[in-house]
Amino acid sequence: MSAHAGDLLAWANRPRWAGQPAGHYESYFVRANHPSRPLALWVRYTVFSPRGRPDAARGELWAIWFDGETSTHRAFKQVEPMADCRFNAQQALDVRMGSAALAPLAMSGAVRDARGSLRWSLSARSDGDPPLLMLGASRYDARFPAAKSLVPQPGLHWRGRVELDGRTIELDDWRGSQNHNWGRRHTDRYAWGQVAGFDAHPASFLEVASARLRVAGLWTPLLTPLVLRHRGREYAFNSPRLALRARARVDGFDWHFESSTRGVRIEGRIDAPREAFVGLHYDNPPGGWKRCLNSKIARCELRLRDSGAGIDDTLRSAHGAAFEMLGDDDLGVPIVA
């Protein structure tokens, strides 16, 4: 890794938690998908601080094992005191939460509940791609928007061992990414999607979101920023103008989106059945909570037309897409963590 790349990774992963009284959440999360089967692992290392009470901050260690072959998923959440958590700003990534750890190309840890446990000890190989930004770089240290997200390490290949309720599962070349998000409040309503390698285009990467924000008591239109890396090009449709011009529709568990500019058009669909989702309870720093419907085994189909480059490609992922929806609707998915 070059010095410049190392500096960029350190900036992308720099902890923004500093005991601020305005309230704060911050998550480093990792996902890994089996290269051909509907199996996935999601692990989230989080700090949560309620507004006006930084002394009540806590660590939260989340993990989900998704099994789309049996439609049985195991979700865990374990709370850790802040005294047992560390977010080291001097390294590109050094997170400790109890006995769990996350580094640039490795992670380990364990969570437990009354039924059993989930343990992981994994290392990764990187494609070497630079961090992917969903906002302009200057917006990450600005007050607006209140919630920020980026992908410090897209294109990771995970290997190692997972133990679920006493059963050992070996991971070898599972596709995934390492992600970072934070803010003083959660986005009011959103759909978020990510594909870390399509079935016939394993080096391509998609990050997309459709969100509504509540500002001064009024709802914004649906904003849809999108970034696609494909065939050595980056299509960054993430400026405020393009995010506002994009068209999107979320109908239950079926999400369609479309964005275009300067001879380039991207149309996509991400969907999954209800049984592919897990319901999670996310506390909100200002108070209250949001319902997250979380799947890492969704389907994605994407069409890219770039007239200038002579590209007309259809990209598909049968069950390797991340698909999350945050809001107040349960859509029949029970909260399990």
Side-chain angles (χ1 to χ4, degrees):
M1 179 184 294
S2 68
H4 174 72
D7 289 345
L8 189 57
L9 179 59
W11 170 82
N13 273 327
R14 175 171 58 85
R16 272 60 176 190
W17 162 245
Q20 50 267 53
H24 189 78
Y25 76 90
E26 185 162 3
S27 295
Y28 296 88
F29 72 90
V30 168
R31 54 179 295 248
N33 283 77
H34 191 286
S36 61
R37 298 169 60 189
L39 306 174
L41 173 69
W42 174 81
V43 180
R44 182 176 185 254
Y45 301 72
T46 297
V47 58
F48 174 81
S49 176
R51 184 169 63 189
R53 298 181 58 207
D55 58 309
R58 63 180 185 264
E60 297 176 347
L61 185 61
W62 302 71
I64 304 177
W65 177 261
F66 291 92
D67 186 337
E69 296 176 338
T70 63
S71 295
T72 54
H73 318 303
R74 289 283 278 123
F76 300 82
K77 176 187 176 183
Q78 191 165 294
V79 175
E80 301 284 354
M82 282 304 297
D84 294 337
C85 300
R86 184 179 76 191
F87 300 85
N88 187 350
Q90 305 306 312
Q91 302 293 329
L93 181 61
D94 182 9
V95 174
R96 304 276 174 170
M97 192 156 290
S99 62
L102 177 63
L105 295 173
M107 66 171 180
S108 61
V111 283
R112 300 169 182 82
D113 64 11
R115 294 169 53 194
S117 64
L118 177 66
R119 298 175 178 272
W120 60 94
S121 179
L122 304 174
S123 62
R125 171 178 59 85
S126 173
D127 287 339
D129 297 331
L132 183 150
L133 308 185
M134 282 292 276
L135 302 169
S138 63
R139 301 310 307 172
Y140 284 96
D141 292 318
R143 182 170 176 80
F144 184 85
K148 319 288 199 299
S149 68
L150 47 72
V151 189
Q153 297 184 96
L156 296 182
H157 302 259
W158 290 97
R159 66 178 305 168
R161 176 175 295 181
V162 169
E163 295 179 15
L164 175 63
D165 298 334
R167 177 169 61 100
T168 298
I169 304 155
E170 299 290 340
L171 277 62
D172 187 13
D173 198 32
W174 285 37
R175 301 172 185 163
S177 60
Q178 179 258 311
N179 307 264
H180 186 196
N181 57 50
W182 68 91
R184 65 182 184 276
R185 58 179 295 175
H186 287 296
T187 300
D188 295 286
R189 301 183 69 89
Y190 72 66
W192 169 81
Q194 184 188 89
V195 180
F198 290 83
D199 294 344
H201 298 275
S204 298
F205 193 98
L206 171 70
E207 182 89 356
V208 60
S210 292
R212 291 189 190 275
L213 311 178
R214 195 168 178 85
V215 180
L218 301 175
W219 287 97
T220 68
L222 197 61
L223 305 169
T224 301
L226 178 154
V227 178
L228 173 66
R229 289 178 175 171
H230 179 61
R231 294 192 185 275
R233 293 174 164 85
E234 179 174 276
Y235 299 92
F237 293 3
N238 57 355
S239 69
R241 179 180 66 87
L242 291 177
L244 184 59
R245 280 182 46 192
R247 295 191 297 172
R249 183 181 76 256
V250 182
D251 183 12
F253 304 103
D254 198 351
W255 175 24
H256 295 254
F257 48 88
E258 178 181 333
S259 192
S260 62
T261 184
R262 298 175 187 169
V264 179
R265 178 176 296 275
I266 297 174
E267 302 169 75
R269 177 187 182 189
I270 297 178
D271 67 290
R274 178 182 287 106
E275 57 267 22
F277 288 85
V278 170
L280 305 177
H281 174 124
Y282 284 176
D283 287 320
N284 207 7
W289 63 285
K290 291 291 184 181
R291 186 184 305 267
C292 178
L293 308 184
N294 186 324
S295 178
K296 297 296 176 285
I297 50 173
R299 185 182 74 93
C300 178
E301 182 169 314
L302 196 75
R303 185 177 181 187
L304 165 67
R305 285 172 286 180
D306 182 345
S307 59
I311 296 173
D312 188 345
D313 286 349
T314 298
L315 293 76
R316 296 184 177 89
S317 176
H319 37 63
F323 186 9
E324 294 183 13
M325 291 180 286
L326 192 83
D328 303 310
D329 303 324
D330 64 22
L331 297 179
V333 179
I335 295 290
V336 295

